[in-house]
């Protein structure tokens, strides 16, 4: 995926939803050296896994990825994708094992470093998380999610200036702007700059559909989160 994100309060207990993850909405692909028919079957299985994951049917999605891995045991992307689904369904240790396998097969897979970093962050191992976000960005300097996630991790460490710097770099790429403004707003909020926080929260909400009209689950959750943060801030003033 590169478009399904979960964001919540920023408490370490909620990191499994806080970090912007590689999604179930667009699995990584890889080139196949098999026959055309084999490639079609592989594409079909991956498409079905994608559909199941989007519908929240993680059991079916994992079963389909198990079959893909049985047929193509050296495809790092399938381990990475299965790890992502394990992570989102709460099976973090299985996710961690799959991310490690993916990186053993392909040490240059930036998304697997980002996903493993999310695991570390969810476990409160922020130094290890930063190391993996660093690696993801070294491999792909335009990897917006890794920039955002590294910014969130710096924020959790109380390093607000570093967090803002990472989020401002993420904005340069013109992607996920609502998420970035929301997280930058949250950072300003915790740093005590409430005027900047309110401005960023409102910028983020202007990019999102209203709750009544939202059909995008991630956008719906993000708007709810921003409204919660904004209400908390206004109640503090």
């Amino acid at each position: 995926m590169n478009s399904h994100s979960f964001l919540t309060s920023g408490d370490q207990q909620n990191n499994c939803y806080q970090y912007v993850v590689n999604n179930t909405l667009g699995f990584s692909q890889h080139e196949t050296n098999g026959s055309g028919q084999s490639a079609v079957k592989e594409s079909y299985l991956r498409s079905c896994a994608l559909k199941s994951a989007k519908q929240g049917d993680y059991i079916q999605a994992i079963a389909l990825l198990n079959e893909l891995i049985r047929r193509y045991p050296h495809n790092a992307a399938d381990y990475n994708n299965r790890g992502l689904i394990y992570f989102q369904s709460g099976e973090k240790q299985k996710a961690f094992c799959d991310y490690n396998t993916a990186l053993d097969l392909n040490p240059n897979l930036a998304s697997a470093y980002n996903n493993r970093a999310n695991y570390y962050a969810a476990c409160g191992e922020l130094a290890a998380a930063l190391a993996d976000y660093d690696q993801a960005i070294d491999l792909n300097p335009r990897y917006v999610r890794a920039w955002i996630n590294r910014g969130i991790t710096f924020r959790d460490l109380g390093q607000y200036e570093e967090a803002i710097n990472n989020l401002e770099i993420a904005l340069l790429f013109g992607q996920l702007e609502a998420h970035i403004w929301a997280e930058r707003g949250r950072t300003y909020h915790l740093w005590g700059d409430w005027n900047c926080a309110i401005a960023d929260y409102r910028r983020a909400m202007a990019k999102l559909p209203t709750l009544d009209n939202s059909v995008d689950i991630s956008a719906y959750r993000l708007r709810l989160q921003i409204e919660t943060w904004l209400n908390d801030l206004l109640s503090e003033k």
Side-chain angles (χ1 to χ4, degrees), residues 2-223:
N2 290 340
S3 61
H4 193 131
S5 308
F6 299 96
L7 301 169
T8 59
S9 66
D11 295 331
Q12 278 301 320
Q13 295 90 328
N14 293 324
N15 273 339
C16 60
Y17 292 109
Q18 173 193 359
Y19 290 84
V20 179
V21 297
N22 282 336
N23 51 30
T24 54
L25 299 185
F27 285 164
S28 307
Q29 301 291 327
H30 79 296
E31 294 181 4
T32 114
N33 297 320
S35 68
Q37 184 178 12
S38 176
V40 168
K41 289 181 179 178
E42 180 183 3
S43 178
Y44 176 73
L45 283 173
R46 190 169 284 107
S47 176
C48 290
L50 166 60
K51 182 178 179 181
S52 295
K54 287 173 67 176
Q55 294 173 343
D57 188 350
Y58 296 141
I59 293 175
Q60 177 67 8
I62 288 170
L64 290 164
L65 283 164
N66 287 345
E67 179 62 17
L68 276 165
I69 288 168
R70 185 187 69 79
R71 296 186 182 198
Y72 311 101
H74 301 296
N75 179 12
D78 288 331
Y79 285 98
N80 187 37
N81 290 329
R82 189 176 68 177
L84 174 64
I85 297 174
Y86 277 136
F87 184 77
Q88 292 187 345
S89 61
E91 298 190 73
K92 294 179 187 175
Q93 193 58 43
K94 288 183 178 180
F96 181 66
C97 291
D98 271 355
Y99 298 149
N100 285 335
T101 301
L103 289 169
D104 286 341
L105 291 168
N106 182 1
N108 296 317
L109 188 59
S111 59
Y113 283 105
N114 178 72
N115 291 341
R116 191 173 69 178
N118 291 343
Y119 163 84
Y120 283 131
C123 295
E125 299 178 37
L126 300 188
L130 285 176
D132 269 0
Y133 291 134
D134 289 348
Q135 187 64 30
I137 290 169
D138 285 344
L139 289 166
N140 181 4
R142 299 181 62 85
Y143 196 171
V144 173
R145 283 172 177 75
W147 283 104
I148 299 171
N149 291 334
R150 192 168 71 172
I152 292 170
T153 305
F154 278 127
R155 184 179 71 208
D156 288 340
L157 289 165
Q159 298 179 32
Y160 299 119
E161 186 172 0
E162 286 291 339
I164 293 294
N165 288 340
N166 275 258
L167 294 168
E168 289 183 346
I169 291 171
L171 278 172
L172 297 176
F173 301 112
Q175 303 172 33
L176 298 174
E177 291 175 322
H179 286 151
I180 298 167
W181 279 324
E183 295 298 347
R184 194 176 71 172
R186 180 60 173 170
T187 305
Y188 279 128
H189 182 171
L190 295 175
W191 203 5
D193 190 336
W194 291 355
N195 289 333
C196 286
I198 290 171
D200 273 356
Y201 287 153
R202 288 176 174 165
R203 286 188 186 101
M205 287 196 292
K207 285 278 187 179
L208 296 169
T210 64
L211 293 179
D212 290 339
N213 296 326
S214 179
V215 294
D216 181 336
I217 293 175
S218 63
Y220 178 84
R221 289 177 174 176
L222 180 57
R223 177 173 277 276

